[in-house]
Amino acid sequence: MAQPLQTIGNRGLRAKIDAVSRIKGFDLLLFFVLMMYKLVLFDRFVKVPNMAMSVDDVFVALGTLALVCFWTLWLPIRGRILALTILNVVLTAIVYSDLVYFRYFQDMISIPVLMQAGQVGALGDSIGSLLSARDIWFFIDWPFIIPLVIYLILRKREYQVQLSFAQPKRLRRAVVRMSLSLIIFATGVTLVFVPINIAKKTWAVGLFVGNWWNMSLYNVTGVIGFHGYDIYRYANEHWLHDNTIPAAAKNEAKQWFEERGNERKQLESDPLFGKYKGKNVIMVQLEAFQNFVIGQKINGQEVTPNMNKLLGESMYFKNFYHQTSQGRTSDADLAANASLQPLMTGSVFIRYAQHEYDSMPSTLKDNGYTTSVFHAYDGGFWNRNAMYQTLKYDTFYSKKSFTIDEPLGWSLGDTSFFRQSVDLMKKQKQPFYSFMITLSSHHPYTLPESYQTLNVGSFKGTIFGDYLEAVHYVDASVGKLVAQLKEEGLWDKSIFLFYGDHDNSIREWEPFETFLGKPLSELDRLNILKQVPFVVHLPNGDHAGVYDQVGGQLDVTPTVLHLLGISTADKYFVGTPLVTEKPLAGKKVVLRDGSYTDGKIFYIPPDDGKPEHSKCYDVASGKLTDVKACEAGVDPARKELVESDLVIQHDLIKEFKKK
Ligand code: GP9
Ligand code: MN
């Protein structure tokens, strides 16, 4: 009897499927091909500049896939097909979630992000706009492989026959499968770890210690490798080590912070405490802006003419230090807004964004302020999306909030950045706290020819000359910012302040000496490297002048809150207010490496840890002096670092506040 056409067709298809599925290792091959295609697709879609997939990245991606699937060979054929399909679905979901998250946050999803309530949820309303029709390419295989797998699994009998081979054959097959799985595992390890180790030793030195952006990790590890590393990183920091600390250590930390709080409490009787109650706070963190350029001229031209003018009506702290470590910009931000010492390794923004902190934005928010932070770069950089939520800003205006109408360097030119930021802040409910982080003067400082308006003479074309040009441009941008704040009527309603985040990483001293016209001693060099300007403009130009008392970034928040009359006695801050009628006696600035200065002496700890190799400078003469003159301050400086680290790493602020 003639069979219906359809059945014949089905039979033909079935026969083909069966034939293909009998090709040894076809399922594994298919898994690799499909997943590689999706990983390449992810890379194409995120398209981070200078991070396109290289040959090494392809090896790493293949290696991570091998490590994810090698164990499926232990399973009988049907189990293996099912496991590979589940892996495909799960990995596709992870890769695609990363893509959607990246489109909003310019970052990868990490464990701290998943644990941070609201971070992924923040996508909520925007989710529609984050999906694109071309995303269908990630799922294009599912309508084929899922029914195929169901079909193959249902064809139980066929496979039962395959599996009912005689006992010795079974053993042999098991041995073959185990060996194959071992080979795949070993290949995976090699493909992943060889290129990563080479990168770690060459162009990505320090990436895994002081990493600055999950995308930079992704650039070396790929998507799957990133998540593997992220799990390891989190487990290592939170579970693998015994993180409990003795109650006595906690009490000591609490006591230390309480004593600091008391010092600030004493200053509440100062006449300046609360003198500017209710004023807006507009604060600028300037990229790589060092103090040595302030007031300097080159070939008769002022390097920072606008700032020099502003200094005439502002408080200028000329012995002010940045206190940053490996976390660079993010460390400066932490120091200035949370008044805690950055960690020795890595960035607190990345490592401990899920912990609790007292901060300028959270304190001001509690006091009725609208709080925002502005930075025209990818929001995921330095893990800002997560950290700014932790610090309790109302709004983070990252690159996507700005129109790139003045493309410059990494992103948007500071002039336009300031203009657009003020346009946003002027609409806010007052009083407000607005924190702006600039970017145009970022290493390597090269500006287009048309932006080079300073005659740097013999420095032309050198990194030092480019730095001076960049600083000159930033100065002009600050000048325009001040003019706009005046036009908008915000100038005298606000405390305006700025400081530099860290040094410019130029380590040849010859151009500095030529520029400053004098040889530089070790102490001079240290001061040049560590000092950044700190300028506070108070309404009506009150208290303008040059102040030589020492201070550092950790003092910024206590200073602002002091002027606004908000007590910080019970806050877990390290710093003390700098703008007081009488400077705090015995004030010391402690730098991350354990060096400290009180303005009279400058202590430098020994490189090799041997106390006899430490150095003590007499600041007035610039000469080395007896180490004994510095001794008394060494332990207190170390203690400040230890207690600050303890509080950050063990989330003690949360614990202390519960009690
Ligand atoms: C980028 C900017 C630069 O967002 O903060 O950071 P840096 O490299 O100076 O630490
Ligand atoms: Mn920086």
Side-chain angles (χ1 to χ4, degrees), residues 606-628:
D607 292 332
D608 56 5
K610 292 185 182 150
E612 63 271 26
H613 293 157
S614 55
K615 290 178 187 164
C616 183
Y617 274 98
D618 172 63
V619 173
S621 66
K623 298 258 157 46
L624 275 174
T625 184
D626 192 344
V627 185
K628 284 206 174 64

Side-chain angles (χ1 to χ4, degrees), residues 212 285 287-288 326-330 375-378 381-382 384 410 437-439 442-443 501-502:
W212 52 93
Q285 176 171 299
E287 176 59 35
Q326 291 179 340
R328 305 292 282 168
T329 304
S330 69
H375 181 55
Y377 197 58
D378 296 330
F381 205 91
W382 285 129
R384 286 186 173 100
W410 281 30
I437 305 161
T438 71
L439 193 54
H442 196 281
H443 195 274
D501 66 350
H502 49 71

Side-chain angles (χ1 to χ4, degrees), residues 278-454:
K279 295 286 177 195
N280 302 314
V281 178
I282 302 172
M283 183 157 95
V284 185
Q285 176 171 299
L286 297 169
E287 176 59 35
F289 210 101
Q290 293 185 220
N291 192 39
F292 76 93
V293 293
I294 301 282
Q296 292 295 335
K297 280 187 177 171
I298 184 158
N299 297 316
Q301 209 181 340
E302 282 179 279
V303 180
T304 57
N306 294 282
M307 292 183 185
N308 299 346
K309 201 167 131 234
L310 187 62
L311 296 192
E313 47 169 301
S314 308
M315 307 180 81
Y316 167 44
F317 292 84
K318 69 180 184 57
N319 291 315
F320 184 84
Y321 293 81
H322 79 78
Q323 292 169 290
T324 65
S325 182
Q326 291 179 340
R328 305 292 282 168
T329 304
S330 69
D331 281 353
D333 193 339
L334 175 94
N337 280 292
S339 192
L340 289 174
Q341 287 280 0
L343 297 175
M344 186 91 98
T345 46
S347 157
V348 176
F349 272 39
I350 306 253
R351 295 180 58 193
Y352 296 103
Q354 72 281 23
H355 285 185
E356 193 172 314
Y357 305 94
D358 279 332
S359 71
M360 175 125 83
S362 67
T363 311
L364 289 179
K365 192 178 159 79
D366 290 345
N367 282 272
Y369 277 67
T370 313
T371 59
S372 2
V373 49
F374 304 77
H375 181 55
Y377 197 58
D378 296 330
F381 205 91
W382 285 129
N383 201 23
R384 286 186 173 100
N385 292 313
M387 192 61 178
Y388 288 157
Q389 208 172 18
T390 296
L391 296 178
K392 303 213 175 64
Y393 282 101
D394 292 323
T395 321
F396 170 26
Y397 296 99
S398 69
K399 187 175 179 180
K400 59 185 162 60
S401 304
F402 293 86
T403 310
I404 308 299
D405 52 7
E406 187 200 350
L408 194 62
W410 281 30
S411 165
L412 175 67
D414 289 348
T415 300
S416 174
F417 165 65
F418 284 143
R419 192 188 62 245
Q420 295 187 51
S421 300
V422 175
D423 284 344
L424 289 164
M425 85 177 71
K426 72 183 183 196
K427 294 186 197 123
Q428 292 181 343
K429 192 172 137 288
Q430 297 189 38
F432 58 68
Y433 167 45
S434 289
F435 177 47
M436 295 180 275
I437 305 161
T438 71
L439 193 54
S440 297
S441 48
H442 196 281
H443 195 274
Y445 315 113
T446 32
L447 294 181
E449 201 68 39
S450 61
Y451 276 74
Q452 301 184 13
T453 57
L454 194 65

Side-chain angles (χ1 to χ4, degrees), residues 38-225:
K38 292 180 191 190
L39 294 176
V40 172
L41 206 61
F42 174 85
D43 197 72
R44 292 275 147 83
F45 281 12
V46 297
K47 233 189 185 162
V48 182
N50 309 318
M51 286 194 193
M53 229 177 192
S54 64
V55 180
D56 276 4
D57 296 337
V58 171
F59 286 141
V60 174
L62 283 169
T64 53
L65 286 173
L67 292 181
V68 162
C69 76
F70 74 95
W71 58 274
T72 57
L73 274 140
W74 305 341
L75 306 173
I77 183 70
R78 281 185 308 123
R80 185 173 88 197
I81 291 173
L82 185 65
L84 288 171
T85 311
I86 293 172
L87 278 178
N88 177 322
V89 171
V90 171
L91 291 177
T92 305
I94 292 175
V95 172
Y96 187 61
S97 310
D98 276 328
L99 177 67
V100 175
Y101 186 81
F102 177 86
R103 284 179 181 149
Y104 193 82
F105 289 112
Q106 296 76 51
D107 204 357
M108 303 283 288
I109 299 179
S110 60
I111 296 187
V113 160
L114 288 174
M115 295 179 70
Q116 188 137 11
Q119 253 271 272
V120 182
L123 290 176
D125 296 343
S126 338
I127 203 98
S129 64
L130 299 173
L131 310 180
S132 154
R134 62 186 187 145
D135 297 351
I136 199 77
W137 290 107
F138 278 96
F139 308 98
I140 208 79
D141 55 334
W142 286 8
F144 302 99
I145 58 160
I146 295 172
L148 179 72
V149 167
I150 295 171
Y151 166 78
L152 290 176
I153 287 169
L154 290 180
R155 296 215 53 189
K156 225 175 179 177
R157 275 190 48 220
E158 180 91 8
Y159 290 104
Q160 261 167 2
V161 173
Q162 269 194 28
L163 293 171
S164 66
F165 39 76
Q167 208 58 24
K169 223 173 166 191
R170 206 173 194 179
L171 189 71
R172 214 181 59 219
R173 284 193 179 207
V175 171
V176 169
R177 278 207 305 248
M178 277 300 175
S179 319
L180 266 177
S181 114
L182 260 176
I183 291 170
I184 293 183
F185 178 76
T187 313
V189 170
T190 315
L191 287 178
V192 171
F193 291 99
V194 170
I196 290 182
N197 275 327
I198 293 175
K200 261 166 70 180
K201 287 193 188 118
T202 52
W203 58 274
V205 176
L207 177 65
F208 291 88
V209 189
N211 81 85
W212 52 93
W213 191 16
N214 287 328
M215 292 314 288
S216 315
L217 287 173
Y218 157 74
N219 189 28
V220 178
T221 61
V223 183
I224 302 172

